[in-house]
Amino acid sequence: MNIGEIARRAGVSRSTVSYALSGKRPVSNDTRRKIQEVIDELGYQPNASARALANGRTNTIGLVFPPAGNHYTGMQLDFIGSVVEAAAAYDYDVLLSPSGVDSDRSFQRLLGERRVDGAILMEIRLADDRVDHLTELDFPAVAIGRTARSEGSWWVGLDHTALAAACVHHLADLGHRRIAFVNRPEQLLRAGYESAHRGLDGFTKAAAERGLTVRTYCCGDDAASGQACLERILHDDPATTGLVTLNEAALGGLYRGLARAGRHVPRDFSVTGVVAARWAETVTPQLTAADVPAEEMGRHAVALLVERLDHPDAPPRHLLLVPPISLRASTGPTGSGTTP
């Protein structure tokens, strides 16, 4: 079945059918209704490539993310899933494209061959050449995260500085004086990942403001690294009574390390951080945390990109989210049960 057959049965020209499908030129309501009746009768589905040629749109957006290495974290998968689900609501498909040292050709093909109408970028760095490149090309893009100079770009972000600081103040209000910070892996900090840097900045400044004794650690994105990190924390300062983490993938290992060290949560040791709610609720006791709204952020990113595609001259817009700390069961007042 093709446009020619639809035109013959509807008694109109091929070009009229094409205009009715693409919307590039006005077609009378009666003619459009007649064409639609034939389409419904025949069950016609326009070819995606032909539709793209007709209206200059692919109805596909690219989701650009770094290569996974050994695995993706739960939070990364949450973001990917939320973008795909939100895009479907706007009738857009999602093309996943890795971006990194070994996969830049994939990123360039995505742009050079115009496989997508726009792009959403994940895992933003403070100085991010992907954002710079797309800005130079005036290619429609929205970032999940923000660079150091984000005023003139489109993005939706999480205020890691404020959230890490809120976690510190929460522990300090409970009487904790010696706390640790468990960040993302060292290679991500060196690469300039904005969440790792902004979180560290918020932790450090809040701890100084409250006069706390602190140590900071980088930790691999897995449970074994979390356990090893917790062992280092207690070795370096056995009097530590609490920690703040941005590393949800290491959370199970942190808990396991505390259990093996005989530290009861929260009687002897309090744990908090910036973690997606569904991961905070998988540990026992459930984690008191600033819940990362991955689904909401993915939905906002898609909405901003669709807005940018529909209104190319619109001024840049962004959204910075600061969710409250959800009080669960992993933090409490400093107790007498801690054994240095």
Side-chain angles (χ1 to χ4, degrees), residues 33-93:
R33 185 169 55 251
K34 189 185 303 181
I35 293 171
Q36 189 61 53
E37 288 173 355
V38 173
I39 288 174
D40 292 341
E41 178 186 344
L42 299 176
Y44 173 73
Q45 292 291 328
N47 178 272
S49 299
R51 189 170 60 233
L53 287 172
N55 61 22
R57 297 277 280 266
T58 66
N59 274 71
T60 303
I61 61 178
L63 180 58
V64 183
F65 54 90
N70 294 329
H71 67 282
Y72 289 110
T73 68
M75 192 177 298
Q76 288 171 324
L77 293 174
D78 284 345
F79 278 121
I80 293 171
S82 70
V83 168
V84 171
E85 184 174 341
Y90 288 96
D91 201 24
Y92 274 86
D93 296 323

Side-chain angles (χ1 to χ4, degrees), residues 72-82 122-123 158 160 184 195 245-249 274-279 290-295 297:
Y72 289 110
T73 68
M75 192 177 298
Q76 288 171 324
L77 293 174
D78 284 345
F79 278 121
I80 293 171
S82 70
M122 284 177 52
E123 304 290 330
L158 198 63
H160 287 88
R184 300 290 302 283
S195 57
T245 184
L246 299 184
N247 195 325
E248 68 176 23
V274 183
V275 174
R278 72 185 185 94
W279 300 99
D291 297 337
V292 177
E295 181 178 343
M297 293 178 74

Side-chain angles (χ1 to χ4, degrees), residues 4-308:
E5 180 63 16
I6 293 171
R8 187 183 68 78
R9 295 197 183 201
V12 299
S13 68
R14 290 172 58 96
S15 60
T16 299
V17 176
S18 178
Y19 295 147
L21 292 174
S22 69
K24 294 190 73 173
R25 291 189 184 180
V27 175
S28 71
N29 290 335
D30 287 343
T31 301
R32 188 183 301 278
R33 185 169 55 251
K34 189 185 303 181
I35 293 171
Q36 189 61 53
E37 288 173 355
V38 173
I39 288 174
D40 292 341
E41 178 186 344
L42 299 176
Y44 173 73
Q45 292 291 328
N47 178 272
S49 299
R51 189 170 60 233
L53 287 172
N55 61 22
R57 297 277 280 266
T58 66
N59 274 71
T60 303
I61 61 178
L63 180 58
V64 183
F65 54 90
N70 294 329
H71 67 282
Y72 289 110
T73 68
M75 192 177 298
Q76 288 171 324
L77 293 174
D78 284 345
F79 278 121
I80 293 171
S82 70
V83 168
V84 171
E85 184 174 341
Y90 288 96
D91 201 24
Y92 274 86
D93 296 323
V94 177
L95 178 62
L96 302 182
S97 174
S99 174
V101 175
D102 298 325
S103 54
D104 281 341
R105 283 179 295 179
S106 172
F107 182 49
Q108 294 301 329
R109 283 198 303 271
L110 193 74
L111 305 180
E113 299 176 13
R114 284 283 173 168
R115 297 183 177 185
V116 297
D117 298 325
I120 292 176
L121 307 179
M122 284 177 52
E123 304 290 330
I124 298 300
R125 299 182 290 275
L126 290 175
D128 200 307
D129 55 0
R130 300 171 303 166
V131 175
D132 295 339
H133 185 56
L134 292 176
T135 301
E136 290 173 4
L137 294 175
D138 197 27
F139 189 88
V142 173
I144 297 180
R146 54 193 170 123
T147 63
R149 298 180 179 180
S150 57
E151 297 80 9
S153 57
W154 295 69
W155 53 269
V156 54
L158 198 63
D159 194 340
H160 287 88
T161 304
L163 296 179
C167 291
V168 171
H169 291 305
H170 174 63
L171 291 178
D173 290 344
L174 291 170
H176 296 273
R177 308 301 301 166
R178 309 178 79 87
I179 64 176
F181 181 63
V182 179
N183 207 336
R184 300 290 302 283
E186 185 178 353
Q187 63 267 30
L188 299 188
L189 195 66
R190 287 199 308 266
Y193 270 50
E194 70 107 0
S195 57
H197 278 271
R198 294 189 197 275
L200 177 59
D201 186 53
F203 174 87
T204 304
K205 289 180 178 177
E209 180 182 331
R210 300 299 293 263
L212 307 183
T213 299
V214 300
R215 293 177 183 270
T216 62
Y217 299 83
C218 287
C219 179
D221 287 333
D222 58 81
S225 296
Q227 181 176 340
C229 184
L230 194 283
E231 291 170 356
R232 291 199 305 275
I233 290 170
L234 296 183
H235 174 270
D236 293 343
D237 185 2
T240 302
T241 61
L243 68 80
V244 176
T245 184
L246 299 184
N247 195 325
E248 68 176 23
L251 190 58
L254 294 172
Y255 267 57
R256 188 165 64 210
L258 286 167
R260 292 195 175 184
R263 302 291 181 98
H264 180 273
V265 179
R267 185 188 65 219
D268 305 322
F269 202 100
S270 289
V271 184
T272 185
V274 183
V275 174
R278 72 185 185 94
W279 300 99
E281 294 169 355
T282 60
V283 291
T284 304
Q286 292 187 357
L287 186 73
T288 290
D291 297 337
V292 177
E295 181 178 343
E296 182 182 356
M297 293 178 74
R299 189 168 62 248
H300 282 307
V302 172
L304 284 176
L305 183 57
V306 171
E307 178 184 339
R308 186 172 184 184

